[in-house]
Amino acid sequence: MYFISGLLTPPAVRIIHSGHACNVEDERYSERVYTIREGETLELVCLVSGHPRPQIRWTKTAGSASDRFQDSSVFNETLRISRIQRHQGGRYYCKAENGLGSPAIKSIRVDVYYLDDPVVTVHQSVGEAKEQFYYERTVFLRCAANSNPPVRYSWRRGREFLSQGSDKGVEIYEPFFTQGETKILKLKNLRPQDYANYTCTASVRNVCGIPDKSVLFQLSNRTASPTIKLLVEDPIVANPGQTVTLVCITSGGEPTPVLTWVRNAEGLPKKSVLNGGTLTIPAISTEEAGVYSCLASNNVGNPAKKSTNIIVRALRKGRFWITPDPYHNDDNIQIGREVKISCQVEATPAEELMFSWLKNGRPLRSSERMVITQTDPDVALGTTNLDIIDLKFTDFGTYTCVASLRNGGIPEISIDVNISSTTVPPSLTVPRGKSPLVTQEGDTVELQCLVSGKPKPIILWSHADKEAPMPDGSMQTESYDGILRIVNVSREMTGTYRCQTSQYNGFNVKPREAIVELIVQYPPAVEPVYTEIRQGLGRAFSLSCRVLRAHPSRVLKYEWKLGTRLLTVGQFDTRDETEYHVRALNREGYGAYTCDITNEAGAGRCTFLVTGKAFGPEFYYDTYSALWQNKPSVYGFKLQWTQMNPNAVDRIMAYRLGIKQTGQQRWWEQEITMEGTIQKGELLTYNLTELVKPEAYQVRLTPITRFGEGDSAERIIRYSAPVNPHWSKFHCNFEEEAICMFTQDKTEEFDWTRHSAATRDTKYTPNTGPSSDRSGSKQGYYMYIETSRPRQEGDKARLLTPLFNVAPKNPYGNVATNPTYCFSFYYHMYGKHIGSLNVYLRQKSQTGQDSSVWTLSGNQGDRWRQARIDIHPTYSFQMVLEGVRGPGIEGDIAIDDVTIEEGECRDPPPNSNLRSLAPPTAEHIWQLCLTLLLVLAGHRR
C-alpha cells in the first residue's frame, strides 16, 4: 500500500464510435461527422477521465439521446440506437462533470443516409383536353425521391438512355434549375415514339452500400388525370347510432387512380371500415360529424377531390328566461302588464328545429294576447318567445316549451316555466358566518350564496379580485344550488369570490351578486426538510431551521427534539429561524434531530440526521497500466481511490475490502489498515493479486472509523489482454480513434488533428506535412497541426499524454528514488513556414508549472525523425507536446509513435538534428570526439 497526493482532476471526454458506421471524418475546423445507413445500429462511446469519476450524460440538440429525443437523456458511457431513423440524425453531445472546473463537452454530428423509392408524376403545359389527353401536347415527367445525400437521377426510354441533346424532342432539367432534388424530363409536342415505358433511376452512388432504386411509368395516348364521382347526397343528415356509407368511384384516369378518404384535418373514425372507394361508419356519433373527402391520385396531373358533409342530428342545452314588462322600470311580474318567456335550444341541423308551447299540459296556439315567435336560426341560436300581453290572473300556470327536430330520430326536449303570483325576481345573500370563510389547506370547502326568488336561476361563480380561472379550469363555474364546492383546497385559492345570477332559468333582469372571502390557512413551510450532517466525536456544530412562509404568519412556537427526547422549546420573535447548538458531540448525540415549527394550521418539520459515518471512497479510473500479469493464469490489478471528505468525521482507521467474482455470491473480505490521517485528494493504492484470468471481479470498499462502518463504494474490474505485453512501456501510434487517451489542452488557440495521408486534403496547405505515417503507410494515422486559415502566427496547440503514476519496482515496494524514464517520439517538420515544436514535463505537485525538456524550430526536411529525452519525475506526470504556428500556411508539424518506458534512453536517435535544452556535459563531448576519430580512421583505410 502506498500513497500519491493531489489527484483531483476536472473531467475530459472523447467520443469514439463502434456500430455500423459508413464513415467517420473530421471536417476542417468545425465538427466530427459520423455517417450511418438508416436502419443500422448507432453506437457511440464517450471515453471519460477525471477524478472523482465524472457523471456522463448524452443529449441531442433537439432533446435527448433516445428514440423520441424530447424529455430524457442517456446517463451512461455508451449511446446505442438500434434501427436508427432519419429523424434521429443531428448533433449529439457527451457531457461529463464531477464538480471540478467546467463540465467537459464533446459533440459529433450523426448523418443518417437513406434513399426512398422514386416517384414519377406527369404534368402538362396547357389545360386538359377532353380526348387524347397527351396528343400533340408538351408533357413533363417529374422524378423525385427523398434521400440523404442528394440523389442523382437518370432516365431511360425503353432500353435507351436519355441525356441532354441525345434527342431533339427531349429536354432534361437538372435539379439546379428546379425546386428541390428532382429531375424533369420534358417531351416537346409528343411524337408516336414518345409513347413508351420510361424508367427513372435514383442513385446516391452506392454510399453506405445503398443500392440504386428505379420506377417505371408507361406513357400512352390513354394517359389521363383522375376523375371521380360521389354516389351520395350532400349534405348527409343522419341520426345518432345510424350506419353511414359513403361511395366514391373513378370515372376516368390512366393509370387506374388510387382512392382514399379523409375527414377535415383529422383522421377517420377508428371504427370506420374502408374498402376501396367505399367508407362505412357504423353507429355514427355527433363527434364523428364533419366534411369527408374522397381523393383520387394516379401521379398524372393534379389529384381529384370531392367532398360531402355529414350532419348528425342533435338537441343540446335547453334553457329559458323570463323578461318582465320592458316598458316599465320594474323587475316584478304584475297583472295588466306584459311578460315574455324565452326558450333556447342548440339544434343540429338548425333548419329542422321546431318549437311548440303547452299551458298546463294543453297545446297553446298563437293569438292576439299569446304571441308565439321564433328567431331566424341563421341569425342566432334557436330561440322561441311567448309574449303574454295584458297579464291576467287566469294566465297563471305552467308553460312548457317543447323542442324537436322535423324529421325526428332523437328525443325532444321539454322546458317547464311556472308563472304565478309567487314568480318573483331573484335575490342573493351570503349566510351569516360564511364570509370570511377560514379553512385549512387540503380540506374540502363549500362557498355558499343563498338564492331566493321563483324560479331560482343558475348561479355563476368567478374570481372577484383577479382574472384567473376557477378550480375547474373555466373562468366561470355554474351552480344550480348556489354552492361552490372546492375539493383539496390550496393556498393559491385564497381570495375573493363573486356569486351572481345568470339570466338562464330565471329572470332576464340586472344580475344580482354577492361576495364571499376565502382564507386558506397552511402550516409553516420550512427548510431544510431533511439534511444529513456528518461529524466526529468531540466537535461542535449548529443546526438551523428556517420558516419560508406560513398562514397565519404568526408562528406560535418551535420545539427541538433528539429522537423522542425534548431538547428545547420557545416562541418566535421577529426572526424567521431558530438554531440549536451542540458544544461537544458525544456518542449519545448521534441520531435524528427534529425541529417542529407550529401555527394554527399545523406544523412544519426540519430533520437533521447527525451521524459519524464516513463518506464513501471514490475509485480512480485513470490509472495507467493498472493491470499487470507475471504468471500465465493469474493477473494483478492496481486498485486506486481517494476518500471523499476525509476530515468530516473521525480519522479513518481502516478499509474493509470485499472482492468476489462477478456472478458469484460469496464475498472474500479483509481489512486494510490506515496509518496516519488521510488528506483530501490523496490517492491511495492497494494491489490486488492472484486474480484468475479472464474473470471479472466486483470490488467493494468500506471506510471504518471508531463510529463504525461508513458508506461503501463498488466497481468492476475486468481482465483485458494488454496491447503491449511489457507493462513498463507505453506506446501510441494513433491508429485507434481513442488516441491512447491523449487529450487536447482547451486553453490554447486550436487542437492537434488525427489524420492519415490517404484522407488528408492538401489543397489548402501544399508543400508541407507528411505523405505517410512514420511506418511509411499512407493509410496509417498520425497527429498534426493544421496551419492554414484561420490560424495566425504564434497560435498554439497542446496535446497531453495520459497521467502516469511513478510506479514502484514491485507490487508492494516503495517508490524508487529519482526514477528515470525515456520519452521518445517521431516528428515531421517540413515546410518553409515551420514554427516550433516544444515538449514539457507536467507534474501533479507543481500547480500550473510545466518544465521545458525539449524544443526544435524551423524546416527539418520532408522526413520523419526521432527525438529521445530522459526525464526524472518524482510525482505523477504528463508529457505536453506543443505545436506553435509559424509565419505562413506551409508549416504543418506532425508527430507519431510516442513511447514512454522505464530506464534511460538506450541510444541517441540517428540524424535527429535536435537542439536539447540541457548543455552538453564533458562526457558527451568526449564521446562525440571519439566517434569522430573512429569515422576519420575508417575513411583513411
Side-chain angles (χ1 to χ4, degrees), residues 810-826:
N810 61 73
Y812 297 97
N814 297 321
V815 177
T817 304
N818 296 327
T820 300
Y821 295 85
C822 179
F823 177 66
S824 65
F825 61 95
Y826 282 84

Side-chain angles (χ1 to χ4, degrees), residues 582-782:
V582 176
R583 295 183 178 179
L585 181 64
N586 54 29
R587 287 193 173 274
E588 291 72 26
Y590 287 118
Y593 291 75
T594 57
C595 174
D596 290 329
I597 300 178
T598 309
N599 69 357
E600 296 174 12
R605 169 171 287 188
C606 298
T607 301
F608 306 87
L609 179 61
V610 179
T611 177
K613 289 177 60 175
F615 288 99
E618 296 176 311
F619 287 109
Y620 184 64
Y621 287 83
D622 299 334
T623 306
Y624 177 68
S625 294
L627 187 147
W628 76 87
Q629 47 188 347
N630 47 21
K631 294 181 182 180
S633 58
V634 298
Y635 67 99
F637 189 87
K638 186 186 300 180
L639 187 68
Q640 294 188 306
W641 71 93
T642 60
Q643 176 60 42
M644 182 191 300
N645 299 334
N647 299 320
V649 296
D650 295 329
R651 184 182 74 84
I652 295 173
M653 300 181 294
Y655 285 92
R656 177 168 288 111
L657 171 68
I659 185 169
K660 70 169 184 175
Q661 286 188 14
T662 55
Q664 301 294 322
Q665 298 298 320
R666 184 176 180 184
W667 286 87
W668 298 90
E669 292 189 339
Q670 69 179 91
E671 283 197 1
I672 306 172
T673 304
M674 294 285 107
E675 301 293 339
T677 302
I678 299 173
Q679 301 302 316
K680 184 174 182 178
E682 184 176 1
L683 185 66
L684 303 117
T685 302
Y686 186 83
N687 291 300
L688 304 173
T689 59
E690 305 300 319
L691 304 178
V692 178
K693 296 180 185 177
E695 300 296 334
Y697 288 84
Q698 187 174 352
V699 176
R700 181 173 62 207
L701 267 181
T702 308
I704 301 173
T705 65
R706 56 178 174 169
F707 176 85
E709 292 189 354
D711 295 339
S712 298
E714 295 186 2
R715 69 163 293 181
I716 300 295
I717 294 172
R718 302 185 188 279
Y719 173 78
S720 60
V723 176
N724 189 329
H726 305 291
W727 64 269
S728 60
K729 179 178 179 179
F730 169 84
H731 174 254
C732 185
N733 56 11
F734 305 111
E735 293 304 312
E736 299 296 329
E737 191 180 359
I739 60 171
C740 315
M741 295 303 291
F742 275 72
T743 55
Q744 307 277 1
D745 187 343
K746 290 303 180 183
T747 63
E748 300 300 342
E749 289 82 4
F750 68 115
D751 289 346
W752 289 78
T753 303
R754 176 177 174 265
H755 252 299
S756 70
T759 60
R760 185 177 172 213
D761 186 355
T762 59
K763 66 181 180 180
Y764 296 99
T765 52
N767 305 318
T768 186
S771 58
S772 66
D773 72 349
R774 201 278 304 175
S775 68
S777 169
K778 289 188 178 296
Q779 282 70 38
Y781 283 86
Y782 52 85

Side-chain angles (χ1 to χ4, degrees), residues 855-873:
T855 186
L856 186 64
S857 302
N859 186 0
Q860 305 298 317
D862 188 9
R863 61 180 294 184
W864 286 96
R865 302 172 183 269
Q866 188 183 29
R868 295 180 183 171
I869 311 153
D870 285 331
I871 56 175
H872 306 282

Side-chain angles (χ1 to χ4, degrees), residues 771-813:
S771 58
S772 66
D773 72 349
R774 201 278 304 175
S775 68
S777 169
K778 289 188 178 296
Q779 282 70 38
Y781 283 86
Y782 52 85
M783 302 294 290
Y784 87 109
I785 61 168
E786 171 59 66
T787 57
S788 55
R789 286 187 296 271
R791 300 278 67 84
Q792 298 179 356
E793 184 174 3
D795 283 0
K796 298 176 182 178
R798 283 188 155 205
L799 190 66
L800 282 63
T801 69
L803 184 68
F804 297 97
N805 295 325
V806 181
K809 292 299 182 183
N810 61 73
Y812 297 97

Side-chain angles (χ1 to χ4, degrees), residues 25 210 235 286 323 335 365 417 486 520 539 557 584-585 591 596 599 660 666 675 736 829 843 890 908 916:
E25 60 183 28
I210 298 175
T286 54
T323 305
I335 298 294
R365 299 183 183 277
V417 184
I486 305 175
V520 181
R539 299 182 187 178
K557 67 175 183 178
L585 181 64
D596 290 329
N599 69 357
K660 70 169 184 175
R666 184 176 180 184
E675 301 293 339
E736 299 296 329
M829 301 172 66
Q843 300 191 66
E890 296 182 21
S916 175

